[in-house]
Every structure is written in C-alpha cells, then in structure tokens.
Amino acid sequence: RHKRTVDISCFDPIIKDILKTLISRKIALEVNTTGLLSEEFGRVLCPDESVLKTYKALGGELLTLGSDAHRREGLAKGFSEAKTILKDLGFTRYHYYENRYPYPIDIE
C-alpha cells in the first residue's frame, strides 16, 4: 500500500541454503496465494517467482498450495492463477498431505 519495493537479494545465499535444506529433507514448500488477491501485497505469490525459480533450479518439486482462508469462502482462493504461474515456471504438480504423506496433483 506504500508502493515500495524491497530488495532482498542480499539474502539470496541464505534463501538458497534454506531451499536446499527443504529439498534434502523432503519438506514441502508452501506456495501461498494471499498475495495474489491483494494490491497491498503487489499481487504476487509468496514465495515470489524468483524464489520459486531458484527452488526449481535446485531440484525442488514438492510444493503445496495455501490460501490462508479464515472462512470457507476463502478456501483455495487464487489456486487457479497460482497453478498457471507454477506451470509457466516449469512445475508439473503440487501436493496435498494426508497423514503426513504427500499426494501429487498434476497441474493441467
């Protein structure tokens, strides 16, 4: 809402290490759609596309989608747009978990 951009590139080495840890431990990276729905957040995914590209380049594939819904009307809000972005970045699926086990869902 303040129309300011924040350069977090100085944290790239730390972010890369975190992503490597997630991948090596088979921990999913949540892609949150809240930012897509709000001008205040710049209409971007969280993490943003640069982080997702790095994750993909490092071999990351285990993604989940989240919408921070506080009411049922907000469930899965923004998922369609998020899936399009993920597909454009080269991802072919995301996952949901049941009893701590990831189940893949193909992005069509």
Side-chain angles (χ1 to χ4, degrees):
R1 76 180 162 217
H2 298 292
K3 307 287 188 234
R4 295 181 183 160
T5 58
V6 178
D7 180 9
I8 63 168
S9 62
C10 62
F11 299 108
D12 284 349
I14 296 167
I15 292 169
K16 201 172 196 177
D17 285 343
I18 292 167
L19 296 174
K20 286 178 181 178
T21 300
L22 291 176
I23 294 165
S24 70
R25 293 185 181 181
K26 295 183 174 39
I27 298 171
L29 176 64
E30 179 186 317
V31 177
N32 193 289
T33 62
T34 300
L36 285 176
L37 309 172
S38 170
E39 290 295 328
E40 182 177 351
F41 294 114
R43 300 198 44 75
V44 295
L45 289 173
C46 185
D48 68 18
E49 289 185 32
S50 67
V51 173
L52 291 168
K53 286 178 185 177
T54 301
Y55 180 71
K56 177 80 172 148
L58 293 170
E61 295 181 351
L62 199 56
L63 299 173
T64 62
L65 293 178
S67 60
D68 280 347
H70 295 270
R71 294 188 296 233
R72 80 176 156 219
E73 300 84 36
L75 287 174
K77 207 158 205 167
F79 279 24
S80 181
E81 188 177 349
K83 290 188 283 186
T84 299
I85 293 168
L86 292 174
K87 186 175 185 176
D88 290 346
L89 293 173
F91 291 98
T92 58
R93 64 182 164 248
Y94 63 99
H95 299 76
Y96 74 94
Y97 277 76
E98 195 171 301
N99 296 321
R100 301 178 141 278
Y101 183 83
Y103 291 91
I105 299 173
D106 290 335
I107 298 173
E108 299 177 10

PDB file of all heavy atoms in Angstrom, residues 29-55:
ATOM      1  N   LEU A  29       7.477 -27.034   0.133  1.00  0.00           N
ATOM      2  CA  LEU A  29       7.460 -25.580   0.149  1.00  0.00           C
ATOM      3  C   LEU A  29       6.027 -25.136  -0.122  1.00  0.00           C
ATOM      4  O   LEU A  29       5.451 -25.486  -1.150  1.00  0.00           O
ATOM      5  CB  LEU A  29       8.396 -25.036  -0.943  1.00  0.00           C
ATOM      6  CG  LEU A  29       8.424 -23.522  -1.127  1.00  0.00           C
ATOM      7  CD1 LEU A  29       8.973 -22.837   0.124  1.00  0.00           C
ATOM      8  CD2 LEU A  29       9.277 -23.165  -2.340  1.00  0.00           C
ATOM      9  N   GLU A  30       5.444 -24.394   0.813  1.00  0.00           N
ATOM     10  CA  GLU A  30       4.084 -23.897   0.590  1.00  0.00           C
ATOM     11  C   GLU A  30       4.113 -22.667  -0.299  1.00  0.00           C
ATOM     12  O   GLU A  30       4.879 -21.735  -0.073  1.00  0.00           O
ATOM     13  CB  GLU A  30       3.391 -23.512   1.894  1.00  0.00           C
ATOM     14  CG  GLU A  30       1.993 -22.969   1.637  1.00  0.00           C
ATOM     15  CD  GLU A  30       1.289 -22.430   2.864  1.00  0.00           C
ATOM     16  OE1 GLU A  30       1.373 -23.070   3.919  1.00  0.00           O
ATOM     17  OE2 GLU A  30       0.642 -21.369   2.747  1.00  0.00           O
ATOM     18  N   VAL A  31       3.267 -22.680  -1.298  1.00  0.00           N
ATOM     19  CA  VAL A  31       3.057 -21.521  -2.156  1.00  0.00           C
ATOM     20  C   VAL A  31       1.730 -20.915  -1.712  1.00  0.00           C
ATOM     21  O   VAL A  31       0.681 -21.527  -1.849  1.00  0.00           O
ATOM     22  CB  VAL A  31       3.011 -21.936  -3.648  1.00  0.00           C
ATOM     23  CG1 VAL A  31       2.717 -20.728  -4.514  1.00  0.00           C
ATOM     24  CG2 VAL A  31       4.315 -22.605  -4.047  1.00  0.00           C
ATOM     25  N   ASN A  32       1.811 -19.716  -1.139  1.00  0.00           N
ATOM     26  CA  ASN A  32       0.637 -19.079  -0.568  1.00  0.00           C
ATOM     27  C   ASN A  32       0.058 -18.062  -1.545  1.00  0.00           C
ATOM     28  O   ASN A  32       0.790 -17.257  -2.113  1.00  0.00           O
ATOM     29  CB  ASN A  32       1.010 -18.398   0.750  1.00  0.00           C
ATOM     30  CG  ASN A  32      -0.194 -17.999   1.531  1.00  0.00           C
ATOM     31  OD1 ASN A  32      -0.902 -17.080   1.153  1.00  0.00           O
ATOM     32  ND2 ASN A  32      -0.438 -18.690   2.629  1.00  0.00           N
ATOM     33  N   THR A  33      -1.257 -18.113  -1.727  1.00  0.00           N
ATOM     34  CA  THR A  33      -1.930 -17.265  -2.716  1.00  0.00           C
ATOM     35  C   THR A  33      -2.452 -15.946  -2.163  1.00  0.00           C
ATOM     36  O   THR A  33      -2.975 -15.130  -2.924  1.00  0.00           O
ATOM     37  CB  THR A  33      -3.106 -18.025  -3.351  1.00  0.00           C
ATOM     38  OG1 THR A  33      -4.059 -18.356  -2.340  1.00  0.00           O
ATOM     39  CG2 THR A  33      -2.637 -19.281  -4.060  1.00  0.00           C
ATOM     40  N   THR A  34      -2.314 -15.702  -0.881  1.00  0.00           N
ATOM     41  CA  THR A  34      -2.863 -14.484  -0.286  1.00  0.00           C
ATOM     42  C   THR A  34      -2.405 -13.232  -1.018  1.00  0.00           C
ATOM     43  O   THR A  34      -3.190 -12.324  -1.268  1.00  0.00           O
ATOM     44  CB  THR A  34      -2.490 -14.388   1.203  1.00  0.00           C
ATOM     45  OG1 THR A  34      -3.010 -15.522   1.878  1.00  0.00           O
ATOM     46  CG2 THR A  34      -3.051 -13.135   1.838  1.00  0.00           C
ATOM     47  N   GLY A  35      -1.140 -13.181  -1.372  1.00  0.00           N
ATOM     48  CA  GLY A  35      -0.600 -12.003  -2.051  1.00  0.00           C
ATOM     49  C   GLY A  35      -1.181 -11.764  -3.426  1.00  0.00           C
ATOM     50  O   GLY A  35      -1.198 -10.631  -3.912  1.00  0.00           O
ATOM     51  N   LEU A  36      -1.651 -12.838  -4.083  1.00  0.00           N
ATOM     52  CA  LEU A  36      -2.271 -12.684  -5.405  1.00  0.00           C
ATOM     53  C   LEU A  36      -3.569 -11.897  -5.333  1.00  0.00           C
ATOM     54  O   LEU A  36      -3.972 -11.268  -6.299  1.00  0.00           O
ATOM     55  CB  LEU A  36      -2.587 -14.058  -6.019  1.00  0.00           C
ATOM     56  CG  LEU A  36      -1.451 -14.876  -6.564  1.00  0.00           C
ATOM     57  CD1 LEU A  36      -1.965 -16.233  -7.033  1.00  0.00           C
ATOM     58  CD2 LEU A  36      -0.739 -14.158  -7.691  1.00  0.00           C
ATOM     59  N   LEU A  37      -4.208 -11.960  -4.194  1.00  0.00           N
ATOM     60  CA  LEU A  37      -5.551 -11.410  -4.049  1.00  0.00           C
ATOM     61  C   LEU A  37      -5.554  -9.980  -3.521  1.00  0.00           C
ATOM     62  O   LEU A  37      -6.606  -9.387  -3.363  1.00  0.00           O
ATOM     63  CB  LEU A  37      -6.364 -12.302  -3.108  1.00  0.00           C
ATOM     64  CG  LEU A  37      -6.351 -13.787  -3.462  1.00  0.00           C
ATOM     65  CD1 LEU A  37      -7.024 -14.601  -2.370  1.00  0.00           C
ATOM     66  CD2 LEU A  37      -7.002 -14.032  -4.803  1.00  0.00           C
ATOM     67  N   SER A  38      -4.373  -9.439  -3.277  1.00  0.00           N
ATOM     68  CA  SER A  38      -4.310  -8.145  -2.609  1.00  0.00           C
ATOM     69  C   SER A  38      -3.360  -7.187  -3.319  1.00  0.00           C
ATOM     70  O   SER A  38      -2.202  -7.515  -3.555  1.00  0.00           O
ATOM     71  CB  SER A  38      -3.843  -8.349  -1.167  1.00  0.00           C
ATOM     72  OG  SER A  38      -3.559  -7.122  -0.553  1.00  0.00           O
ATOM     73  N   GLU A  39      -3.856  -6.010  -3.639  1.00  0.00           N
ATOM     74  CA  GLU A  39      -2.999  -4.959  -4.180  1.00  0.00           C
ATOM     75  C   GLU A  39      -1.932  -4.584  -3.152  1.00  0.00           C
ATOM     76  O   GLU A  39      -0.819  -4.230  -3.512  1.00  0.00           O
ATOM     77  CB  GLU A  39      -3.832  -3.728  -4.547  1.00  0.00           C
ATOM     78  CG  GLU A  39      -4.734  -3.924  -5.745  1.00  0.00           C
ATOM     79  CD  GLU A  39      -3.972  -4.166  -7.034  1.00  0.00           C
ATOM     80  OE1 GLU A  39      -2.857  -3.641  -7.206  1.00  0.00           O
ATOM     81  OE2 GLU A  39      -4.502  -4.918  -7.874  1.00  0.00           O
ATOM     82  N   GLU A  40      -2.292  -4.675  -1.878  1.00  0.00           N
ATOM     83  CA  GLU A  40      -1.373  -4.318  -0.798  1.00  0.00           C
ATOM     84  C   GLU A  40      -0.093  -5.141  -0.870  1.00  0.00           C
ATOM     85  O   GLU A  40       0.994  -4.664  -0.574  1.00  0.00           O
ATOM     86  CB  GLU A  40      -2.060  -4.531   0.557  1.00  0.00           C
ATOM     87  CG  GLU A  40      -1.211  -4.159   1.742  1.00  0.00           C
ATOM     88  CD  GLU A  40      -1.951  -4.319   3.062  1.00  0.00           C
ATOM     89  OE1 GLU A  40      -3.169  -4.549   3.054  1.00  0.00           O
ATOM     90  OE2 GLU A  40      -1.281  -4.215   4.090  1.00  0.00           O
ATOM     91  N   PHE A  41      -0.213  -6.410  -1.275  1.00  0.00           N
ATOM     92  CA  PHE A  41       0.949  -7.293  -1.353  1.00  0.00           C
ATOM     93  C   PHE A  41       1.549  -7.338  -2.751  1.00  0.00           C
ATOM     94  O   PHE A  41       2.454  -8.114  -3.019  1.00  0.00           O
ATOM     95  CB  PHE A  41       0.579  -8.704  -0.896  1.00  0.00           C
ATOM     96  CG  PHE A  41       0.209  -8.781   0.554  1.00  0.00           C
ATOM     97  CD1 PHE A  41      -1.085  -9.105   0.929  1.00  0.00           C
ATOM     98  CD2 PHE A  41       1.135  -8.517   1.540  1.00  0.00           C
ATOM     99  CE1 PHE A  41      -1.435  -9.174   2.268  1.00  0.00           C
ATOM    100  CE2 PHE A  41       0.797  -8.573   2.878  1.00  0.00           C
ATOM    101  CZ  PHE A  41      -0.495  -8.897   3.244  1.00  0.00           C
ATOM    102  N   GLY A  42       1.037  -6.558  -3.682  1.00  0.00           N
ATOM    103  CA  GLY A  42       1.601  -6.486  -5.010  1.00  0.00           C
ATOM    104  C   GLY A  42       1.134  -7.553  -5.967  1.00  0.00           C
ATOM    105  O   GLY A  42       1.711  -7.747  -7.021  1.00  0.00           O
ATOM    106  N   ARG A  43       0.086  -8.293  -5.598  1.00  0.00           N
ATOM    107  CA  ARG A  43      -0.480  -9.350  -6.432  1.00  0.00           C
ATOM    108  C   ARG A  43       0.573 -10.371  -6.869  1.00  0.00           C
ATOM    109  O   ARG A  43       0.732 -10.660  -8.044  1.00  0.00           O
ATOM    110  CB  ARG A  43      -1.229  -8.757  -7.618  1.00  0.00           C
ATOM    111  CG  ARG A  43      -2.386  -7.852  -7.190  1.00  0.00           C
ATOM    112  CD  ARG A  43      -3.412  -7.550  -8.214  1.00  0.00           C
ATOM    113  NE  ARG A  43      -3.890  -8.647  -9.034  1.00  0.00           N
ATOM    114  CZ  ARG A  43      -4.741  -9.614  -8.645  1.00  0.00           C
ATOM    115  NH1 ARG A  43      -5.198  -9.623  -7.419  1.00  0.00           N
ATOM    116  NH2 ARG A  43      -5.138 -10.533  -9.480  1.00  0.00           N
ATOM    117  N   VAL A  44       1.319 -10.889  -5.886  1.00  0.00           N
ATOM    118  CA  VAL A  44       2.337 -11.906  -6.146  1.00  0.00           C
ATOM    119  C   VAL A  44       2.152 -13.094  -5.210  1.00  0.00           C
ATOM    120  O   VAL A  44       1.557 -12.973  -4.146  1.00  0.00           O
ATOM    121  CB  VAL A  44       3.766 -11.350  -5.975  1.00  0.00           C
ATOM    122  CG1 VAL A  44       4.075 -10.277  -7.000  1.00  0.00           C
ATOM    123  CG2 VAL A  44       3.991 -10.826  -4.570  1.00  0.00           C
ATOM    124  N   LEU A  45       2.684 -14.218  -5.647  1.00  0.00           N
ATOM    125  CA  LEU A  45       2.710 -15.394  -4.788  1.00  0.00           C
ATOM    126  C   LEU A  45       3.725 -15.190  -3.676  1.00  0.00           C
ATOM    127  O   LEU A  45       4.634 -14.373  -3.791  1.00  0.00           O
ATOM    128  CB  LEU A  45       3.120 -16.635  -5.587  1.00  0.00           C
ATOM    129  CG  LEU A  45       2.131 -17.183  -6.593  1.00  0.00           C
ATOM    130  CD1 LEU A  45       2.780 -18.304  -7.399  1.00  0.00           C
ATOM    131  CD2 LEU A  45       0.886 -17.697  -5.901  1.00  0.00           C
ATOM    132  N   CYS A  46       3.593 -15.963  -2.650  1.00  0.00           N
ATOM    133  CA  CYS A  46       4.572 -15.980  -1.581  1.00  0.00           C
ATOM    134  C   CYS A  46       4.977 -17.438  -1.349  1.00  0.00           C
ATOM    135  O   CYS A  46       4.117 -18.226  -0.966  1.00  0.00           O
ATOM    136  CB  CYS A  46       4.010 -15.376  -0.308  1.00  0.00           C
ATOM    137  SG  CYS A  46       5.248 -15.261   0.996  1.00  0.00           S
ATOM    138  N   PRO A  47       6.201 -17.830  -1.619  1.00  0.00           N
ATOM    139  CA  PRO A  47       7.307 -17.002  -2.070  1.00  0.00           C
ATOM    140  C   PRO A  47       7.102 -16.532  -3.506  1.00  0.00           C
ATOM    141  O   PRO A  47       6.326 -17.119  -4.259  1.00  0.00           O
ATOM    142  CB  PRO A  47       8.521 -17.927  -1.966  1.00  0.00           C
ATOM    143  CG  PRO A  47       7.970 -19.301  -2.092  1.00  0.00           C
ATOM    144  CD  PRO A  47       6.594 -19.242  -1.490  1.00  0.00           C
ATOM    145  N   ASP A  48       7.837 -15.480  -3.860  1.00  0.00           N
ATOM    146  CA  ASP A  48       7.666 -14.914  -5.195  1.00  0.00           C
ATOM    147  C   ASP A  48       8.341 -15.777  -6.260  1.00  0.00           C
ATOM    148  O   ASP A  48       8.995 -16.776  -5.962  1.00  0.00           O
ATOM    149  CB  ASP A  48       8.146 -13.467  -5.240  1.00  0.00           C
ATOM    150  CG  ASP A  48       9.652 -13.327  -5.063  1.00  0.00           C
ATOM    151  OD1 ASP A  48      10.400 -14.308  -5.234  1.00  0.00           O
ATOM    152  OD2 ASP A  48      10.084 -12.203  -4.751  1.00  0.00           O
ATOM    153  N   GLU A  49       8.175 -15.377  -7.508  1.00  0.00           N
ATOM    154  CA  GLU A  49       8.655 -16.186  -8.624  1.00  0.00           C
ATOM    155  C   GLU A  49      10.170 -16.393  -8.604  1.00  0.00           C
ATOM    156  O   GLU A  49      10.643 -17.452  -8.998  1.00  0.00           O
ATOM    157  CB  GLU A  49       8.214 -15.572  -9.953  1.00  0.00           C
ATOM    158  CG  GLU A  49       6.725 -15.722 -10.185  1.00  0.00           C
ATOM    159  CD  GLU A  49       6.283 -15.221 -11.550  1.00  0.00           C
ATOM    160  OE1 GLU A  49       7.076 -15.320 -12.512  1.00  0.00           O
ATOM    161  OE2 GLU A  49       5.138 -14.746 -11.651  1.00  0.00           O
ATOM    162  N   SER A  50      10.930 -15.422  -8.135  1.00  0.00           N
ATOM    163  CA  SER A  50      12.387 -15.595  -8.114  1.00  0.00           C
ATOM    164  C   SER A  50      12.792 -16.720  -7.172  1.00  0.00           C
ATOM    165  O   SER A  50      13.677 -17.521  -7.489  1.00  0.00           O
ATOM    166  CB  SER A  50      13.094 -14.285  -7.744  1.00  0.00           C
ATOM    167  OG  SER A  50      12.815 -13.921  -6.415  1.00  0.00           O
ATOM    168  N   VAL A  51      12.141 -16.809  -6.037  1.00  0.00           N
ATOM    169  CA  VAL A  51      12.435 -17.888  -5.090  1.00  0.00           C
ATOM    170  C   VAL A  51      11.971 -19.226  -5.661  1.00  0.00           C
ATOM    171  O   VAL A  51      12.677 -20.243  -5.556  1.00  0.00           O
ATOM    172  CB  VAL A  51      11.791 -17.620  -3.711  1.00  0.00           C
ATOM    173  CG1 VAL A  51      11.953 -18.811  -2.777  1.00  0.00           C
ATOM    174  CG2 VAL A  51      12.377 -16.362  -3.084  1.00  0.00           C
ATOM    175  N   LEU A  52      10.811 -19.238  -6.301  1.00  0.00           N
ATOM    176  CA  LEU A  52      10.310 -20.475  -6.907  1.00  0.00           C
ATOM    177  C   LEU A  52      11.222 -20.952  -8.034  1.00  0.00           C
ATOM    178  O   LEU A  52      11.461 -22.155  -8.179  1.00  0.00           O
ATOM    179  CB  LEU A  52       8.879 -20.284  -7.406  1.00  0.00           C
ATOM    180  CG  LEU A  52       7.841 -20.105  -6.305  1.00  0.00           C
ATOM    181  CD1 LEU A  52       6.516 -19.622  -6.883  1.00  0.00           C
ATOM    182  CD2 LEU A  52       7.656 -21.395  -5.528  1.00  0.00           C
ATOM    183  N   LYS A  53      11.765 -20.021  -8.820  1.00  0.00           N
ATOM    184  CA  LYS A  53      12.715 -20.391  -9.876  1.00  0.00           C
ATOM    185  C   LYS A  53      13.975 -21.011  -9.275  1.00  0.00           C
ATOM    186  O   LYS A  53      14.500 -21.997  -9.790  1.00  0.00           O
ATOM    187  CB  LYS A  53      13.084 -19.165 -10.712  1.00  0.00           C
ATOM    188  CG  LYS A  53      12.007 -18.715 -11.651  1.00  0.00           C
ATOM    189  CD  LYS A  53      12.438 -17.453 -12.404  1.00  0.00           C
ATOM    190  CE  LYS A  53      11.317 -16.930 -13.269  1.00  0.00           C
ATOM    191  NZ  LYS A  53      11.690 -15.673 -13.947  1.00  0.00           N
ATOM    192  N   THR A  54      14.459 -20.430  -8.196  1.00  0.00           N
ATOM    193  CA  THR A  54      15.644 -20.979  -7.521  1.00  0.00           C
ATOM    194  C   THR A  54      15.351 -22.368  -6.989  1.00  0.00           C
ATOM    195  O   THR A  54      16.157 -23.295  -7.155  1.00  0.00           O
ATOM    196  CB  THR A  54      16.096 -20.046  -6.376  1.00  0.00           C
ATOM    197  OG1 THR A  54      16.398 -18.759  -6.922  1.00  0.00           O
ATOM    198  CG2 THR A  54      17.306 -20.596  -5.654  1.00  0.00           C
ATOM    199  N   TYR A  55      14.191 -22.532  -6.363  1.00  0.00           N
ATOM    200  CA  TYR A  55      13.774 -23.832  -5.832  1.00  0.00           C
ATOM    201  C   TYR A  55      13.746 -24.872  -6.945  1.00  0.00           C
ATOM    202  O   TYR A  55      14.277 -25.972  -6.798  1.00  0.00           O
ATOM    203  CB  TYR A  55      12.397 -23.676  -5.180  1.00  0.00           C
ATOM    204  CG  TYR A  55      11.808 -24.923  -4.588  1.00  0.00           C
ATOM    205  CD1 TYR A  55      12.338 -25.485  -3.424  1.00  0.00           C
ATOM    206  CD2 TYR A  55      10.698 -25.541  -5.159  1.00  0.00           C
ATOM    207  CE1 TYR A  55      11.779 -26.627  -2.863  1.00  0.00           C
ATOM    208  CE2 TYR A  55      10.135 -26.673  -4.609  1.00  0.00           C
ATOM    209  CZ  TYR A  55      10.681 -27.213  -3.454  1.00  0.00           C
ATOM    210  OH  TYR A  55      10.127 -28.345  -2.904  1.00  0.00           O
TER     211      TYR A  55
END
